[in-house]
Amino acid sequence: MKHILVANAKGGSGKTTLATNLAGYLASTSAKVMLTDLDRQQSATQWLKRRPMEAAPIHTAHEVGKHAQDLDWVVTDSPAGLRDEKLADAVKDADVVIVPIQPSAFDIGAAADFLDVLMQEKAVRKNKTSVGLVGSRVNSRTHAAAGLAEFMGDTGFPVLAYLRNSQVYTTAAEQGLSIFELRPSLVAQDIEQWSVLLDWIHNTA
């Protein structure tokens, strides 16, 4: 069983979008997937409730119960403000941590502080847990996007994707689906932006 933690101390960074789409992608590969929602707003849980019966199953902790050993993947949508012992425990339990960051001065500043804390975690320092970065809701032709790329490139962590601010994510969320489960012609450009991220997860986790 492999564990993906999607984390950023700042709310509104795109954690739930990343976590639900990762869970949907992994489920679409016939893997047995559990999505854990630790966020106070419970957006990922609401997404699961909207998920169609005919879609590839994604399990909750309640459904899995004592059979967690049968899972292939656990994807955790973490709460904003994840710090101290709770952060240490979450990182220790994860194989990979993915940090989504939006291209604004507020988000970059908060991410810088969070990554400083993350780098001090024992599991990260000893390379037991790998960390990767994802640009979230990025318009590639803006100065803000260039600033985000410069910041992420300077962190020393691998930059896995720049995901555009696309309506397809809203469409998928409304239906309880991931973009990988929408009509291919609708999402081809967006799925291409995930290719390095997905390869990294399969090769690193």
Side-chain angles (χ1 to χ4, degrees):
M1 177 177 62
K2 300 296 185 180
H3 188 175
I4 301 168
L5 174 68
V6 182
N8 188 324
K10 186 179 182 301
S13 60
K15 293 188 297 292
T16 299
T17 296
L18 195 54
T20 53
N21 278 278
L22 277 171
Y25 161 74
L26 292 167
S28 72
T29 67
S30 299
K32 189 169 184 180
V33 180
M34 181 174 78
L35 178 59
T36 304
D37 187 0
L38 302 181
D39 191 76
R40 185 175 303 174
Q41 295 181 347
Q42 293 287 286
S43 296
T45 298
Q46 295 303 316
W47 176 81
L48 275 177
K49 289 180 179 178
R50 294 191 296 273
R51 192 161 175 79
M53 291 292 294
E54 64 272 16
I58 297 172
H59 305 280
T60 65
H62 176 72
E63 292 170 342
V64 171
K66 298 179 180 179
H67 301 286
Q69 70 277 5
D70 296 332
L71 293 167
D72 298 307
W73 296 91
V74 175
V75 179
T76 297
D77 183 11
S78 70
L82 186 64
R83 293 279 184 175
D84 304 325
E85 289 184 9
K86 289 184 178 180
L87 176 62
D89 289 343
V91 171
K92 181 177 65 176
D93 290 341
D95 295 287
V96 298
V97 179
I98 302 175
V99 182
I101 309 170
Q102 289 198 58
S104 79
F106 295 112
D107 286 86
I108 290 171
D113 293 339
F114 181 66
L115 292 175
D116 285 343
V117 172
L118 204 55
M119 281 190 284
Q120 301 307 312
E121 293 299 330
K122 185 176 180 180
V124 175
R125 286 189 287 107
K126 295 197 171 185
N127 296 316
K128 293 182 178 180
T129 302
S130 299
V131 178
L133 310 182
V134 171
S136 174
R137 301 177 187 140
V138 176
N139 182 342
S140 61
R141 298 182 179 181
T142 64
H143 290 297
L148 177 63
E150 181 179 1
F151 165 72
M152 293 204 302
D154 289 342
T155 63
F157 292 116
V159 179
L160 306 176
Y162 292 97
L163 305 180
R164 67 179 184 145
N165 189 11
S166 172
Q167 181 63 30
V168 299
Y169 291 103
T170 302
T171 300
E174 289 171 347
Q175 299 177 40
L177 297 171
S178 69
I179 64 168
F180 302 93
E181 298 163 299
L182 298 181
R183 190 169 71 250
S185 61
L186 184 67
V187 295
Q189 179 180 349
D190 297 282
I191 286 178
E192 176 61 28
Q193 294 179 335
W194 283 73
S195 58
V196 174
L197 167 58
L198 298 178
D199 285 345
W200 182 82
I201 287 171
H202 285 297
N203 293 328
T204 307

